[in-house]
Amino acid sequence: MEAKIGKFFESVGSFFSGGDQIPWCDRDVIHGCEREVAEASDGGSDERRNESIMRLSWALVHSRQPEDVKRGVAMLEASLTNTSSPLEQREKLYLLAVGYYRSSEYSKSRQLLEQCLEIAPDWRQALTLKKTVEERIAKDGVIGIGITATAVGLIAGGIAAAFARRN
């Protein structure tokens, strides 16, 4: 019985905390990637520069700082048009989906993940993130319904109280 109660509280806690399995990246890693991009831009090959930019984009969309995530999304969107390889396109779409997920733009994230899965239908990372995104969309819907029901209840209660005072 205690195990069931423990699982219940754990699931309620994860419901409200929104725990996901996406890794976080700290500022030191981002600074290192920025240095790497600068070095690759100063006389490095295009391939090395592109790889450095991809690592920086990864680090930015996995940051805890919203401004880093936005910067990573902007970099990925700008580089997506120059992508010829399906594998590279899949990677960029996935990272964009992570960025939009971290920015709480869940429907955009889901749309990008669906594009990812058109390229690689059984890619586990994309499938896992899509499930997480869909759970988050459902959770936000439940919370929204609860807020709406509470507001309607308060309004109805206020109206009922006003009528009760008149009589």
Side-chain angles (χ1 to χ4, degrees):
M1 184 68 173
E2 285 181 35
K4 288 183 181 180
I5 292 172
K7 284 185 179 183
F8 170 75
F9 283 115
E10 188 177 304
S11 68
V12 169
S14 70
F15 179 85
F16 286 106
S17 69
D20 59 52
Q21 302 302 317
I22 302 169
W24 294 101
C25 187
D26 63 20
R27 299 292 303 161
D28 293 339
V29 173
I30 293 170
H31 290 307
C33 290
E34 289 170 334
R35 279 193 303 274
E36 185 182 331
V37 168
E39 290 169 5
S41 296
D42 293 339
S45 69
D46 284 343
E47 183 179 340
R48 181 172 172 237
R49 184 174 167 275
N50 290 339
E51 288 173 2
S52 299
I53 290 172
M54 278 298 291
R55 279 191 285 281
L56 176 58
S57 299
W58 184 95
L60 289 169
V61 299
H62 287 85
S63 173
R64 292 184 187 272
Q65 306 301 316
E67 62 274 4
D68 289 341
V69 175
K70 288 178 185 174
R71 199 171 114 208
V73 166
M75 286 175 62
L76 287 160
E77 285 178 339
S79 71
L80 195 58
T81 57
N82 301 331
T83 305
S84 57
S85 156
L87 179 63
E88 191 177 340
Q89 183 179 16
R90 177 192 82 165
E91 294 291 328
K92 288 180 180 181
L93 289 170
Y94 177 78
L95 290 176
L96 271 171
V98 170
Y100 280 114
Y101 175 77
R102 290 280 163 89
S103 300
S104 300
E105 295 184 44
Y106 305 121
S107 60
K108 181 72 174 169
S109 180
R110 180 174 52 187
Q111 178 186 21
L112 290 163
L113 289 164
E114 287 169 359
Q115 290 178 27
C116 250
L117 292 168
E118 286 175 15
I119 297 168
D122 55 348
W123 189 25
R124 281 195 179 151
Q125 260 184 302
L127 290 166
T128 301
L129 181 56
K130 185 177 178 194
K131 180 181 177 204
T132 302
V133 167
E134 289 173 346
E135 288 171 354
R136 189 62 187 228
I137 289 170
K139 180 175 99 172
D140 285 357
V142 167
I143 291 171
I145 289 169
I147 291 169
T148 302
T150 301
V152 168
L154 289 172
I155 291 169
I159 292 170
F163 279 124
R165 281 189 223 148
R166 288 178 107 183
N167 294 335

